[in-house]
């Protein structure tokens, strides 16, 4: 599947209709979306792990949002969306179960900052791309948390 996606992306990059899109990035998000849909389609029973089911549902919402943003020509960082998703999920877990996980939240915030800094340094992404990805990840988990409780 990855090699098929690479070949498809290579063909679409030469097409003038798709010249403004980053086709490889869109295809990677599309494969990620397909994997999440397969995961959510029945492999996690709700009576055993409803929390992890809603985490993956929020992650799917974040990736679908980024995919739709990518189709209109804008960009958002997928790495920071995942980090923001994990951060918001842990905050929601601590609120839902009334448990204090301050040490874990501090570590996740620190690691999110490291991931953001590395993404800015290595990929030369702008601050807006990083921040939009992070906000999308957090907002997707908060939307799912509304249905979770």
């Amino acid at each position: 599947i990855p090699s098929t996606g690479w070949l498809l992306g290579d063909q679409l990059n030469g097409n003038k209709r798709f010249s403004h899109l980053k086709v490889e990035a869109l295809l990677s998000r599309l494969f990620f979306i397909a994997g999440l849909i397969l995961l959510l389609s029945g492999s996690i029973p709700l009576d055993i792990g409803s929390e992890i089911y809603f985490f993956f549902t929020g992650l799917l919402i974040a990736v679908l949002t980024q995919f739709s943003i990518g189709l209109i020509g804008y960009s958002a960082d997928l790495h920071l969306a995942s980090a923001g998703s994990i951060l918001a999920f842990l905050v929601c877990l601590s609120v839902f179960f009334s448990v204090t996980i301050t040490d874990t939240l501090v570590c996740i915030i620190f690691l999110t900052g490291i991931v953001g800094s590395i993404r800015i340094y290595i990929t030369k992404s702008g601050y807006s791309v990083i921040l939009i990805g992070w906000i999308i990840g957090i907002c997707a988990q908060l939307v799912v948390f509304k249905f979770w409780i």
Side-chain angles (χ1 to χ4, degrees):
I1 289 178
S3 61
T4 306
W6 179 78
L7 288 173
L8 182 63
D10 192 39
Q11 293 298 319
L12 290 178
N13 267 343
N15 194 340
K16 293 189 188 314
R17 275 187 7 187
F18 299 106
S19 62
H20 70 283
L21 300 176
K22 297 178 181 174
V23 178
E24 288 88 4
L26 290 176
L27 285 175
S28 68
R29 285 176 174 83
L30 192 62
F31 287 128
F32 192 66
I33 289 168
L36 283 174
I37 288 173
L38 286 175
L39 181 70
L40 291 173
S41 65
S43 62
I44 303 172
L46 283 176
D47 57 342
I48 295 174
S50 65
E51 293 86 12
I52 198 73
Y53 175 82
F54 286 109
F55 168 69
F56 282 120
T57 303
L59 197 57
L60 179 64
I61 291 171
V63 174
L64 285 173
T65 304
Q66 287 189 326
F67 185 74
S68 61
I69 286 175
L71 286 177
I72 60 173
Y74 293 105
S75 181
D77 194 49
L78 189 61
H79 295 85
L80 262 292
S82 299
S85 254
I86 291 171
L87 177 64
F89 177 71
L90 287 176
V91 169
C92 292
L93 270 181
S94 68
V95 168
F96 185 71
F97 289 116
S98 300
V99 177
T100 304
I101 53 171
T102 309
D103 297 339
T104 306
L105 289 176
V106 167
C107 286
I108 293 297
I109 290 170
F110 181 71
L111 291 174
T112 302
I114 288 175
V115 169
S117 299
I118 289 172
R119 295 295 297 166
I120 290 171
Y121 180 73
I122 291 177
T123 62
K124 304 291 189 257
S125 296
Y127 295 114
S128 63
V129 171
I130 303 291
L131 187 62
I132 289 171
W134 187 67
I135 289 171
I136 286 173
I138 288 178
C139 289
Q141 288 296 327
L142 292 178
V143 165
V144 171
F145 182 67
K146 177 184 171 194
F147 295 106
W148 179 21
I149 57 169

